[in-house]
Amino acid sequence: MKNIGIGILFSILWSSASVATKFGVRSAAPLILANVRFFIAGILLLTFSYLLSNDKSYRLPNKKEWKQLALFGFLNTTLYLGLYVYAMKFTAAGIGSLAVSTNPLIIVLLSSWWLKRRPRSEEWLGILLGMAGVGIATYPLLADSYTTVEGVSILLISMIAVSAASVYYATIQWELPNLLINGWQVFLGGVFLLPATVMFADFSTTVWDGTFWFPVLWLSLAVSIVGLICWFHLLRIDTVRASLWLFLCPLFGFFFAWWLMDEPVTIYTVIGTVFVVAGLYAGQRGRSNE
């Protein structure tokens, strides 16, 4: 029950990022919003870990750990979110939500090759039901959407990047606490993203008002800190089953869009939700029987 609660909390927080970003980009370019978010989250996590915690395990990374954190941060933060934000310039929001549902399939394929971890039949069934559910729920958004081949291609690369980051995380025998791993990876990811932000973002149009700062603080505290800590916890238990929680993200995203942005909820959303819940049940059932 604890892991189910953590999975649901992760899905809620992770899915809220798209709506928060939509509000935030009204006052700033997406890359500026992302960079500020990463630096705030990283600095807060590192400050707490090194200055406010008495735990001796909160130490500076060694040479090997610096390399691991840099690669993880580049994949999980710089490459994934940087490409995702850029792809949204050429891709409809509905397709962006749908793309999240490809992560479990990519993670299963990467895990099979990288971790030699053969998925169970229940997990394949969960993936198929989940992808079908998200496809059904997103269909009305895709029907009238404008999307370019370039946008879809960049979006797919970003999904491969975050899936690779998740599998890579599972391959490392981390000795650092989760707070430090998250703090350093998100901070380093922000550092790696900074040159692209300086080169391509339009700072002259940025308005440092509440419409900017409230989404930034939500994205920093709720998503980049609490959400990623939940995600790391799930990944350490089982990479494939953790990925199944990503199926709930588009559906929670539809709810937040309806609640906060007056976007419609259709019969497709309801049917899709039933498929996703069934997929989550199928995928988690094998775990409960172990």
Side-chain angles (χ1 to χ4, degrees):
M1 289 300 296
K2 174 185 175 183
N3 292 332
I4 291 175
I6 292 174
I8 293 174
L9 177 61
F10 161 75
S11 301
I12 292 173
L13 294 176
W14 206 246
S15 62
S16 70
S18 59
V19 173
T21 300
K22 285 185 178 180
F23 280 111
V25 295
R26 295 176 179 177
S27 296
L31 288 179
I32 295 175
L33 188 77
N35 247 136
V36 174
R37 161 194 175 182
F38 299 151
F39 284 137
I40 289 178
I43 290 171
L44 285 176
L45 281 168
L46 295 174
T47 299
F48 174 83
S49 299
Y50 289 122
L51 299 182
L52 301 179
S53 175
N54 295 322
D55 192 333
K56 294 182 179 180
S57 64
Y58 287 82
R59 55 173 174 79
L60 285 174
N62 57 40
K63 183 177 180 180
K64 179 181 179 181
E65 290 168 337
W66 278 121
K67 294 179 180 179
Q68 293 170 340
L69 289 167
L71 178 56
F72 182 50
F74 178 75
L75 289 172
N76 195 65
T77 298
T78 310
L79 195 58
Y80 162 48
L81 290 174
L83 289 175
Y84 187 89
V85 169
Y86 185 74
M88 287 298 98
K89 294 174 60 177
F90 310 100
T91 309
I95 294 181
S97 296
L98 179 63
V100 178
S101 69
T102 66
N103 283 352
L105 179 58
I106 297 173
I107 287 175
V108 164
L109 296 176
L110 288 175
S111 297
S112 300
W113 167 69
W114 199 342
L115 302 179
K116 309 300 181 185
R117 193 274 198 201
R118 181 176 297 178
R120 296 174 178 268
S121 58
E122 297 94 335
E123 293 166 346
W124 280 117
L125 177 60
I127 289 169
L128 293 175
L129 287 172
M131 292 189 71
V134 174
I136 292 170
T138 313
Y139 172 74
L141 300 177
L142 304 183
D144 300 319
S145 295
Y146 172 76
T147 300
T148 66
V149 174
E150 179 185 4
V152 172
S153 301
I154 296 172
L155 192 60
L156 179 59
I157 295 172
S158 74
M159 294 301 108
I160 294 174
V162 70
S163 299
S166 300
V167 176
Y168 176 72
Y169 177 87
T171 66
I172 303 299
Q173 296 295 322
W174 297 98
E175 296 181 2
L176 293 171
N178 275 353
L179 285 179
L180 272 186
I181 295 171
N182 193 17
W184 280 118
Q185 74 88 16
V186 75
F187 181 80
L188 291 172
V191 171
F192 298 146
L193 183 64
L194 189 58
T197 301
V198 172
M199 291 176 62
F200 301 113
D202 186 0
F203 286 82
S204 64
T205 60
T206 302
V207 181
W208 307 94
D209 57 1
T211 305
F212 173 83
W213 284 112
F214 183 79
V216 162
L217 291 176
W218 178 263
L219 290 166
S220 302
L221 302 177
V223 180
S224 290
I225 293 180
V226 180
L228 280 177
I229 288 174
C230 292
W231 179 238
F232 293 160
H233 172 81
L234 295 169
L235 284 177
R236 286 194 173 187
I237 296 173
D238 189 287
T239 308
V240 172
R241 286 196 174 90
S243 71
L244 294 176
W245 292 106
L246 292 167
F247 285 134
L248 276 182
C249 292
L251 301 181
F252 279 123
F254 294 147
F255 170 76
F256 288 129
W258 164 77
W259 179 33
L260 298 172
M261 307 192 80
D262 295 324
E263 293 186 5
V265 173
T266 67
I267 186 62
Y268 292 95
T269 311
V270 177
I271 296 174
T273 301
V274 173
F275 270 76
V276 167
V277 172
L280 280 168
Y281 173 76
Q284 298 291 332
R285 185 177 57 184
R287 186 75 177 181
S288 64
N289 293 331
E290 293 177 358

